[in-house]
Amino acid sequence: MRNAYRRTWPPAAVVFLLLAGCAATGPPAVVPELEPIVVEAQLLPVPARPEPAVQPAPPREAPRADIALVVDPSAAAHAGVADAIEAALPPRRYRITRFTTDAGPDLGALRNRRVTIVAVGPEAVLAARTALPDKPLVFCQVPSYAEALQAGGPTWGVQTLPPLALQLKSWQSVDPSLRTIALIVSASGAALADEARHAATDLAADLLVQTSASDRETLYLFRRLAATVDGLWLLPDNDALSPPVLREMLTLSSTRGIGVLTFNEALLARGALLTATAVPSDVAATVAQIVERVVAGRTADLPSMTPLRAAELAVNVEVAMALGLPPVAIPRWVARDPD
């Protein structure tokens, strides 16, 4: 059986055994060397760590400018204007010290400091220029300003009166029949007379301008004009007017049916029809604009006098009725220059 089993092996098995025997007894198989496979690692970029945000340094505030506010207490209105000026100059930019006209020694202490003067009223200009003759100065509430502009160092002013064109336009709104107006000024009021002429031309009013050398001559000239005019325009002029002459002119105007525009509200009780006065907030805003330019050194094209832009109007309702004018719905209002 065993022999029979052996005889039954298949030829493939015999071949396998022979090959196995040859492998066991023959030389070792030669295995070819393979080159190593190098895999280049691709390194992903590491995101850069963001730099910490640099906080900008807070802007350095400019040092505050020193302002010497000198107030003439001779008129009650000056204090109100001075208060409005203080409110219009922001404290973060300006350091304001307030003086009155009798504080000459205190003002003198500022001689060696960089300071800008703001003077309210004629006496304030005089006091400031006496104590600090070379400091830059901005003034307001000074009707006769020619001398103030020539006294001492660099000087700029704000007009005392509201724009004459605005006054005349407001007057015509109260009295639409207004046509011929008398204006009497001294030689020092020539500039105002020229401005009034321009306003009258633009608004189709006939303005009769006379020049007077005294208050009595003013009264004489008005008596001659009274028969030909329906309006009298009174502008502040110490050389042409005086309290007694003002009273006589207002009385004559009342008897002749002449409406009067004046610069002082107290004259309403004396028979004036209308007053036009400056608005304190407008004066203060104008002063603040000039001060800003002076402190910044931007004065090359700054005019010597800057006009106002608003007027406060007040009407004597009883006088308006006596003159047969249309009913006055609002006896007091503020008019502003649209330009």
Side-chain angles (χ1 to χ4, degrees), residues 207-242:
L207 186 67
L208 306 180
V209 180
Q210 296 287 319
T211 302
S212 170
S214 68
D215 59 341
R216 300 312 301 179
E217 185 178 3
T218 298
L219 181 59
Y220 166 75
L221 292 171
F222 179 58
R223 282 174 174 163
R224 290 181 55 188
L225 293 171
T228 59
V229 301
D230 49 18
L232 171 63
W233 198 348
L234 292 175
L235 297 176
D237 192 326
N238 292 334
D239 296 328
L241 297 174
S242 65

Side-chain angles (χ1 to χ4, degrees), residues 55-331:
Q55 296 296 330
R60 295 180 60 184
E61 292 187 0
R64 293 191 298 170
D66 279 324
I67 304 296
L69 178 59
V70 188
V71 185
D72 176 1
S74 63
H78 293 167
V81 171
D83 292 342
I85 291 172
E86 282 198 74
L89 294 173
R92 69 181 183 278
R93 298 175 59 186
Y94 302 101
R95 183 186 299 107
I96 303 172
T97 307
R98 190 159 171 168
F99 303 88
T100 55
T101 51
D102 58 356
D106 296 330
L107 279 170
L110 303 177
R111 189 170 289 110
N112 296 325
R113 293 174 58 180
R114 185 176 181 180
V115 62
T116 299
I117 306 167
V118 175
V120 183
E123 293 300 319
V125 174
L126 179 61
R129 277 296 173 232
T130 301
L132 302 169
D134 300 325
K135 302 296 184 183
L137 182 146
V138 180
F139 67 81
C140 62
Q141 303 301 99
V142 181
S144 301
Y145 53 78
E147 186 176 353
L149 290 173
Q150 299 171 359
T155 306
W156 301 269
V158 174
Q159 293 283 3
T160 302
L161 296 175
L164 299 191
L166 189 61
Q167 294 188 40
L168 182 54
K169 185 176 181 180
S170 300
W171 190 1
Q172 289 178 328
S173 71
V174 174
D175 183 0
S177 64
L178 182 66
R179 290 294 178 269
T180 307
I181 303 167
L183 174 63
I184 305 172
V185 297
S186 68
S188 62
L192 283 177
D194 288 342
E195 182 183 347
R197 285 191 184 95
H198 287 299
T201 299
D202 293 341
L203 295 170
D206 186 11
L207 186 67
L208 306 180
V209 180
Q210 296 287 319
T211 302
S212 170
S214 68
D215 59 341
R216 300 312 301 179
E217 185 178 3
T218 298
L219 181 59
Y220 166 75
L221 292 171
F222 179 58
R223 282 174 174 163
R224 290 181 55 188
L225 293 171
T228 59
V229 301
D230 49 18
L232 171 63
W233 198 348
L234 292 175
L235 297 176
D237 192 326
N238 292 334
D239 296 328
L241 297 174
S242 65
V245 165
L246 277 173
R247 286 194 292 269
E248 290 191 54
M249 293 174 74
L250 288 170
T251 300
L252 180 59
S253 297
S254 178
T255 58
R256 294 293 185 92
I258 298 172
V260 182
L261 169 62
T262 78
F263 54 89
N264 190 327
E265 193 166 335
L267 297 178
L268 287 178
R270 296 282 184 177
L273 168 65
L274 182 69
T275 61
T277 55
V279 180
S281 60
D282 183 41
V283 177
T286 308
V287 168
Q289 291 170 4
I290 298 173
V291 168
E292 180 181 3
R293 293 184 60 176
V294 171
V295 169
R298 296 184 288 107
T299 60
D301 59 345
L302 185 61
S304 58
M305 294 297 296
T306 300
L308 296 172
R309 298 180 63 87
E312 183 172 356
L313 288 306
V315 178
N316 185 326
V317 178
E318 294 180 357
V319 171
M321 292 177 60
L323 293 175
L325 301 181
V328 179
I330 303 175

